[in-house]
Amino acid sequence: MQKAESVTHIAIIMDGNGRWAQKRLLPRSAGHRKGAEKVKEIAKEADRLGVKFLTLYAFSTENWQRPKEEVDTLMGLLREYLKSDLKELHENNVRIRFIGERDMLSADIRQSMAALERQTAKNGGLTLCFAISYGSRQEIIQAVRKAAVLVKNGDISESDIDIKSFSAMLYTKDIPEPDILIRTGGEKRISNYLLWQIAYTELFFSDTPWPDFEAKELEAVIAGFNTRERRYGKVQA
Ligand code: FPP
């Protein structure tokens, strides 16, 4: 087994649900359902491998522009998921977190999210973070606004804004930067995901659509990561 000793945080863009379904002549919603089922399996595997944080892109700010029917399906799945599947993860000592613009979500979903975060706050296993109604540019803009207000009120000076203090104004303030970003589904782009946080993250692109992504592929990514040399812009000593 590949132990993820050097891997603290994995972020995933769970892409390819729609195409997975279309290929099987199923509605796109069937792909999303299958994709939601996959989350539990991969979270358990990440935990087993010793990964501490897993951040999953479940719904982007831009996804609000999909046809209403598809948005409703995704919100329905999320609602269901928050009520049932995540309970099982709680029993496995998983801590649940959410990042994104909560104001856009319906009140019952927001309440379930807050309740889950409260219930699982003391769990010491994997932190499973869902990016929901999340957009990285929007996240950066809200941080810039926060900083501007602090400067305007005289709470901090301009020169107090640096990488560390700015990072603390993002939704991910208490989450380390990802070591690995995986995008499934064959596309090679970042799609407004964790733009600030992935400055030195190792990127992996898999052709496998998310519903078919398996634990062994996660292990293979970690093995690949362990062969990479991370220099953070420096040269080797
Ligand atoms: C991309 O597939 C995936 C999404 C837009 C959302 C990801 C959602 C899930 C995995 C299910 C919901 C998750 C939870 C936790 C309830 P796509 O639809 O863009 O696929 P395509 O590129 O093949 O069209």
Side-chain angles (χ1 to χ4, degrees):
M1 172 174 111
Q2 189 73 38
K3 256 280 178 193
E5 271 146 21
S6 52
V7 182
T8 302
H9 184 181
I10 298 180
I12 305 185
I13 301 175
M14 307 181 288
D15 195 20
N17 297 333
R19 279 165 288 154
W20 179 92
Q22 279 159 345
K23 205 172 149 192
R24 288 162 180 77
L25 306 178
L26 295 167
R28 288 175 59 83
S29 58
H32 292 315
R33 183 165 290 278
K34 198 81 183 160
E37 285 165 18
K38 187 52 76 171
V39 167
K40 229 176 359 183
E41 179 191 330
I42 296 302
K44 282 188 190 161
E45 178 66 4
D47 193 28
R48 191 181 74 83
L49 292 170
V51 174
K52 300 288 176 232
F53 296 85
L54 181 66
T55 302
L56 303 176
Y57 208 2
F59 193 85
S60 74
T61 320
E62 290 71 28
N63 288 156
W64 288 113
Q65 290 158 33
R66 291 195 175 191
K68 184 178 179 303
E69 198 193 325
E70 184 162 342
V71 170
D72 288 348
T73 301
L74 281 164
M75 289 300 138
L77 262 178
L78 179 63
R79 197 170 271 119
E80 215 178 280
Y81 203 77
L82 293 171
K83 295 212 160 71
S84 55
D85 291 15
L86 292 183
K87 286 222 172 75
E88 191 187 324
L89 289 167
H90 176 35
E91 283 152 22
N92 284 296
N93 205 23
V94 171
R95 183 178 178 194
I96 313 282
R97 296 275 308 268
F98 300 95
I99 55 171
E101 283 178 57
R102 295 194 194 201
D103 295 357
M104 302 282 289
L105 299 163
S106 66
D108 68 309
I109 291 185
R110 286 203 309 265
Q111 277 158 14
S112 298
M113 284 162 62
L116 266 168
E117 283 182 325
R118 255 195 328 269
Q119 279 161 19
T120 63
K122 295 210 165 69
N123 289 352
L126 175 79
T127 295
L128 178 58
C129 178
F130 290 96
I132 295 175
S133 190
Y134 174 85
S136 186
R137 287 175 164 179
Q138 294 81 344
E139 176 186 33
I140 291 168
I141 286 171
Q142 68 80 36
V144 169
R145 287 186 183 142
K146 256 189 217 169
V149 170
L150 289 173
V151 172
K152 189 170 136 208
N153 294 343
D155 298 328
I156 60 168
S157 68
E158 244 171 272
S159 59
D160 290 328
I161 303 173
D162 56 18
I163 293 174
K164 191 161 173 239
S165 64
F166 190 75
S167 296
M169 294 181 208
L170 298 171
Y171 300 139
T172 50
K173 56 181 179 293
D174 44 6
I175 299 176
E177 290 174 3
D179 302 294
I180 293 175
L181 170 67
I182 304 170
R183 184 182 185 127
T184 64
E187 311 283 7
K188 293 185 177 59
R189 52 178 173 262
I190 304 299
S191 301
N192 203 15
Y193 192 41
L194 302 172
L195 299 176
W196 171 277
Q197 297 86 343
I198 60 166
Y200 284 101
T201 298
E202 296 292 327
L203 309 180
F204 291 82
F205 296 96
S206 163
D207 287 334
T208 310
W210 173 249
D212 287 337
F213 192 79
E214 285 186 359
K216 65 175 188 310
E217 200 171 345
L218 186 71
E219 274 211 56
V221 166
I222 291 170
F225 171 83
N226 286 332
T227 67
R228 292 196 189 180
E229 188 196 0
R230 300 182 86 190
R231 291 191 297 276
Y232 300 95
K234 301 175 198 143
V235 289
Q236 213 178 12

